[in-house]
């Protein structure tokens, strides 16, 4: 059995390179061809695709999923979401997580990959349970980062817990692209030794080391790798599908992809890429190697957000200071991995600390919530002085955050009854209230107008009478 490949260009590829702006039509045109490639799965949904569809493209994310499912008869479809956060920025109650899994599977998803920014598995329990209940395959992704607490032993223990929780596979999710080849080898070897679950590696080419890390991981027994078809590979996206298929060909790791299907899709994807390069959404910078990632251990997306925030404040000259402040804030917070939503929280707090001239003079609300334990367990103890300054002697939640939430799906349904026409709509509204209500209002208005334009039976009979 060779290495399995999960094609990620239709989700993470365009999310990493040009802010998830590919349209459903573009995605479907490629998915249709790639369905013949022999991938283990194609990642096509979740992450930022959901928000981006409604916010920028005026498209229904659920319709995208159904359209892709229609043209993918052979390949499993995979999605990504953030456990109890689903795709939003707060914790949702268990019944909403359950409904989201149910509807995702009903609309065409086969594999649900979930992760938690803090690797707090209590935030993933419901997603695993519901995915299995509705017949899906559930993968738990461990947010990879480096820190004094994020050791090989830490990840190995976590992997054992993942197996106990009932997940079907484990993914090492290196969102920043900082996993080095030797660490990859050690990590995969240790996890393989301690669990029976298949292991997948997900990283980004941003720092220029990813291909080597993938190779080291494969030699250590990694079962599945995430890659992007070449026009959308490299840079801040995943390494190239064609390159790995070629390099591994004829070895015991041969992924045995159908090269004809890959070739057929290349010009289609090339054309799409050219469009986003021309309209400026794809910044050529995203395609080159960025060694700062390894130096500061900060994901590429976070660096560009930071630059935008500083530019808006006319404070680009403070960029280096902010970059130095990030690891300090992260240490104060107990070394959370810098992945959504923690990357935004730590980044914004670092900017405030530098620009206001006093650390934690002003504090973002999400950081306050974090310190109250509302996001889950801290990877390491937080700095007690900083915590005292921000939340005083407030009580810190130690139970599973979602245990404090009452079932809310029915009340959300009631709340949105004037806009929502399906449970899928209710979920869109629950996750992105303002964006989804604007989108759905427009969608149903135009749909209703179209229906009115059609001659109804009454009009026809009226005409006949005349
Ligand atoms: Co990624």
């Amino acid at each position: 059995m060779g290495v399995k490949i999960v094609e990620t260009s239709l989700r993470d590829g365009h999310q990493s390179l040009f802010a998830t702006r590919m349209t459903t039509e573009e995605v479907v045109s490629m998915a249709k061809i790639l369905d013949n490639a022999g991938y283990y799965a194609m990642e096509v949904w979740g992450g930022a695709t959901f928000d981006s569809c409604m916010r920028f493209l005026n498209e229904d994310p659920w319709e995208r999923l159904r359209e892709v499912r229609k043209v993918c008869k052979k390949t499993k479809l995979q999605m990504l979401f953030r456990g109890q956060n689903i795709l939003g920025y707060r914790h949702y109650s268990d019944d909403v997580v359950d409904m989201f899994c149910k509807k995702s599977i009903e609309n065409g998803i086969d594999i649900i990959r979930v992760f938690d920014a803090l690797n707090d598995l209590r935030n993933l329990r419901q997603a695993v349970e519901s995915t299995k209940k509705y017949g899906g395959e559930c993968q738990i992704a461990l947010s990879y980062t480096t820190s004094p607490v994020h050791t090989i032993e830490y990840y190995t223990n976590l992997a054992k817990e993942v197996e106990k929780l009932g997940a079907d596979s484990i993914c090492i999710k290196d969102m920043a692209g900082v996993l080095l080849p030797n660490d990859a080898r050690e990590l995969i070897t240790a996890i393989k030794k301690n669990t029976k679950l298949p292991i997948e590696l997900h990283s980004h080419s941003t720092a220029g080391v990813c291909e080597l890390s993938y190779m080291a991981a494969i030699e250590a027994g990694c079962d599945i790798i995430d890659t992007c078809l070449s026009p959308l590979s490299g840079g801040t996206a995943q390494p190239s599908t064609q390159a790995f298929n070629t390099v591994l060909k004829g070895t015991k790791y041969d992924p045995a992809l159908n090269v004809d299907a890959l070739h057929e899709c290349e010009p289609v994807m090339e054309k799409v890429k050219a469009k986003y390069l021309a309209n400026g959404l794809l910044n050529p910078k995203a395609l080159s190697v960025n060694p700062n990632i390894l130096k500061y251990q900060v994901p590429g997306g976070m660096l560009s957000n930071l630059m935008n925030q500083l530019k808006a404040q006319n404070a680009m000259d403070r960029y280096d200071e902010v970059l130095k402040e990030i690891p300090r804030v992260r240490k104060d917070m107990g070394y959370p991995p810098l992945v959504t939503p923690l990357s935004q929280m730590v980044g914004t707090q670092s900017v405030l600390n530098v620009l206001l001239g006093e650390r934690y003079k002003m504090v973002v609300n999400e950081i306050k919530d974090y310190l109250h334990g509302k996001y889950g367990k801290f990877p390491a103890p937080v700095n007690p002085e900083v915590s005292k300054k921000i939340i005083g002697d407030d009580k810190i939640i130690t139970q599973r955050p979602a245990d404090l939430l009452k079932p809310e799906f029915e009340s959300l349904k009631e709340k949105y009854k004037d806009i929502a026409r399906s449970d899928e709509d209710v979920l869109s509204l629950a996750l992105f209230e303002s964006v989804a209500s604007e989108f759905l209002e427009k969608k149903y208005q135009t749909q209703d107008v179209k229906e009115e334009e059609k001659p109804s039976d009454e009009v026809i009979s009226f005409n006949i009478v005349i």
Side-chain angles (χ1 to χ4, degrees):
M1 261 297 249
V3 165
K4 297 186 177 85
I5 303 251
V6 171
E7 172 63 48
T8 52
S9 53
L10 304 181
R11 201 286 295 176
D12 206 354
H14 70 127
Q15 178 168 333
S16 298
L17 294 176
F18 46 92
T20 335
R21 298 303 170 77
M22 245 154 37
T23 63
T24 295
E25 198 187 343
E26 288 166 345
V27 169
V28 168
S29 69
M30 292 179 269
K32 198 178 182 171
I33 306 170
L34 293 176
D35 188 37
N36 296 316
Y39 295 119
Y40 178 66
M42 271 195 269
E43 189 192 45
V44 293
W45 211 58
T49 60
F50 206 92
D51 182 20
S52 176
C53 271
M54 294 188 287
R55 192 187 298 266
F56 303 111
L57 304 170
N58 200 25
E59 288 183 353
D60 193 323
W62 298 98
E63 262 167 42
R64 169 173 303 188
L65 176 55
R66 289 190 289 269
E67 292 300 312
V68 173
R69 178 77 280 173
K70 252 189 244 162
V71 298
C72 288
K73 308 257 192 288
K74 307 171 195 158
T75 314
K76 289 183 191 175
L77 298 182
Q78 182 171 312
M79 73 171 297
L80 170 75
F81 77 81
R82 291 190 295 274
Q84 212 73 28
N85 284 167
I86 311 182
L87 298 165
Y89 291 91
R90 67 167 175 99
H91 270 67
Y92 290 88
S93 62
D94 289 334
D95 68 329
V96 177
V97 174
D98 184 77
M99 184 59 92
F100 189 74
C101 293
K102 179 175 188 243
K103 289 290 158 186
S104 299
I105 293 167
E106 261 179 33
N107 282 279
I109 288 293
D110 300 288
I111 306 173
I112 294 185
R113 172 184 287 176
V114 285
F115 76 99
D116 178 65
L118 299 175
N119 290 320
D120 186 340
L121 299 181
R122 297 173 308 170
N123 293 334
L124 302 175
R125 203 171 68 201
Q126 185 62 48
V128 176
E129 201 183 289
S130 300
T131 303
K132 305 295 291 176
K133 181 165 96 186
Y134 299 114
E137 203 174 309
C138 189
Q139 178 178 75
I140 287 187
L142 305 178
S143 305
Y144 180 78
T145 187
T146 54
S147 88
V149 288
H150 292 92
T151 57
I152 300 277
E153 199 191 346
Y154 164 92
Y155 283 109
T156 310
N157 287 333
L158 212 50
K160 287 190 217 164
E161 293 302 316
V162 164
E163 189 165 36
K164 272 192 224 151
L165 207 58
D168 297 296
S169 58
I170 300 177
C171 173
I172 304 294
K173 180 177 163 60
D174 175 26
M175 53 279 168
V178 297
L179 174 67
L180 300 177
N182 284 337
D183 296 329
R185 182 176 292 117
E186 258 187 76
L187 191 59
I188 301 285
T189 307
I191 296 179
K192 271 282 177 198
K193 213 181 275 173
N194 285 282
T195 77
K196 290 190 182 64
L197 296 182
I199 305 178
E200 180 157 353
L201 180 57
H202 175 93
S203 184
H204 290 255
S205 300
T206 328
V209 299
C210 184
E211 284 79 355
L212 293 169
S213 302
Y214 271 28
M215 213 45 223
I218 291 168
E219 286 166 357
C222 183
D223 303 274
I224 315 169
I225 54 170
D226 287 4
T227 61
C228 285
L229 196 76
S230 74
L232 294 188
S233 71
T236 48
Q238 273 78 64
S240 151
T241 304
Q242 299 96 315
F244 272 94
N245 191 51
T246 308
V247 166
L248 300 174
K249 201 173 174 54
T251 72
K252 64 177 174 177
Y253 308 115
D254 195 339
L257 294 184
N258 172 2
V259 181
D260 292 341
L262 304 183
H263 279 331
E264 192 188 336
C265 193
E266 283 160 17
V268 183
M269 198 177 275
E270 198 67 66
K271 216 173 138 194
V272 168
K273 178 186 180 182
K275 172 183 146 188
Y276 293 99
L277 258 175
N279 71 13
L281 272 171
L282 172 50
N283 183 338
K285 254 194 188 161
L287 296 167
S288 56
V289 169
N290 183 349
N292 283 336
I293 306 285
L294 294 178
K295 193 170 161 197
Y296 300 110
Q297 302 276 307
V298 167
M302 191 174 164
L303 285 178
S304 51
N305 266 345
L306 216 61
M307 278 193 225
N308 290 339
Q309 282 182 6
L310 289 173
K311 265 184 210 151
Q313 300 294 320
N314 231 340
M316 262 314 277
D317 55 325
R318 314 294 295 274
Y319 183 61
D320 282 343
E321 280 172 78
V322 174
L323 279 181
K324 286 189 189 113
E325 177 64 7
I326 291 173
R328 295 177 63 201
V329 172
R330 187 171 165 240
K331 187 177 174 195
D332 290 339
M333 298 299 135
Y335 299 107
L338 296 178
V339 63
T340 308
L342 264 307
S343 47
Q344 291 86 338
M345 286 153 60
V346 169
T348 309
Q349 190 57 51
S350 304
V351 170
L352 287 174
N353 286 359
V354 168
L355 295 190
L356 297 178
E358 182 192 325
R359 305 187 75 220
Y360 306 107
K361 187 177 180 185
M362 230 170 95
V363 178
V364 287
N365 280 331
E366 288 80 359
I367 290 279
K368 287 181 197 161
D369 285 348
Y370 173 83
L371 289 172
H372 281 110
K374 288 188 187 167
Y375 285 85
K377 256 184 279 176
F378 313 128
V382 297
N383 180 336
E385 280 162 42
V386 169
S387 178
K388 178 113 186 157
K389 181 170 180 177
I390 299 173
I391 62 160
D393 293 321
D394 287 2
K395 206 174 159 264
I396 294 167
I397 299 164
T398 51
Q399 76 233 71
R400 190 179 79 112
D403 284 344
L404 298 167
L405 303 171
K406 285 198 206 85
E408 55 181 337
F409 190 77
E410 287 310 318
S411 57
L412 288 166
K413 213 168 164 172
E414 178 61 26
K415 181 178 173 190
Y416 299 124
K417 66 172 191 289
D418 294 335
I419 327 174
R421 295 193 184 178
S422 64
D423 287 344
E424 283 82 349
D425 287 350
V426 175
L427 289 166
S428 301
L429 288 156
L431 294 172
F432 302 99
E433 189 175 53
S434 64
V435 173
S437 50
E438 206 178 298
F439 163 73
L440 289 171
E441 261 166 37
K442 257 189 281 173
K443 174 181 165 178
Y444 291 132
Q445 248 170 25
T446 32
Q447 215 170 51
D448 291 347
V449 168
K450 270 186 203 152
E451 268 160 30
E452 274 167 29
E453 281 167 358
K454 278 186 221 149
S456 70
D457 292 348
E458 283 156 312
V459 175
I460 291 168
S461 56
F462 182 66
N463 285 342
I464 290 167
V465 171
I466 284 182

